[in-house]
Amino acid sequence: MADNPFEIPQALRDVSERNLKQARAAYEQLMDVMTKAMGAWTGALPSNPMAAVFKDVQDRAMQIAKENAESVFTFAGKISNVRPPQDILTLQTQFAQDRMQTFVMQSQELYNLIGETLQKLQRGALGTEVKRDAL
């Protein structure tokens, strides 16, 4: 029995940590499969400027997803090592605040990247029209 009755038992924390390691391993396998599938899908697209700029957005979206998953695993690791239960609330509050700030930054970054991508596509389409008109 725990020395402090208000402390989460070590056995429960150990089980939590093992489950977290298994979840991380499963997630990494899933991400490997997804990355290979996305690579195959992108590789099957015809080689053109549109596919190239689309890949930039796709790559950044995947990177954001990986960053977010890593933050969740880090948070879960912290939670699994908590001794007094009241520390869970502190960690949860901090995590929620951090994730909201990150969400805003990532959303703005992705929005800007999509805007740049659309501008590149538009310039490319206009360039093609200008070249055709010159002929």
Side-chain angles (χ1 to χ4, degrees), residues 61-133:
M62 287 292 289
Q63 185 180 8
I64 287 172
K66 288 177 182 180
E67 290 169 5
N68 291 338
E70 185 58 39
S71 72
V72 170
F73 283 116
T74 300
F75 170 67
K78 289 177 183 178
I79 291 290
S80 70
N81 291 314
V82 165
R83 290 181 186 268
Q86 59 270 30
D87 286 355
I88 293 173
L89 182 58
T90 303
L91 287 172
Q92 172 61 31
T93 301
Q94 181 183 1
F95 177 74
Q97 290 171 346
D98 291 346
R99 296 318 310 155
M100 286 305 295
Q101 290 173 351
T102 301
F103 172 75
V104 169
M105 290 187 311
Q106 289 172 339
S107 296
Q108 289 173 342
E109 182 183 348
L110 204 52
Y111 177 79
N112 290 338
L113 183 59
I114 290 170
E116 291 170 13
T117 299
L118 292 174
Q119 287 177 354
K120 286 178 186 176
L121 288 173
Q122 203 170 33
R123 283 192 301 263
L126 291 175
T128 304
E129 290 175 15
V130 170
K131 287 178 188 176
R132 279 191 225 146
D133 289 343

Side-chain angles (χ1 to χ4, degrees), residues 8 14-15 17 24 35 38 50 53 89 98 101 103 133:
I8 298 172
D14 291 344
V15 167
E17 193 170 330
R24 182 185 290 269
T35 301
M38 294 299 283
M50 187 170 153
V53 292
L89 182 58
D98 291 346
Q101 290 173 351
F103 172 75
D133 289 343

Side-chain angles (χ1 to χ4, degrees), residues 1-18 77 79-84:
M1 177 152 209
D3 297 337
N4 182 348
F6 298 107
E7 187 174 285
I8 298 172
Q10 182 63 43
L12 185 57
R13 287 183 279 148
D14 291 344
V15 167
S16 176
E17 193 170 330
R18 277 193 306 274
I79 291 290
S80 70
N81 291 314
V82 165
R83 290 181 186 268

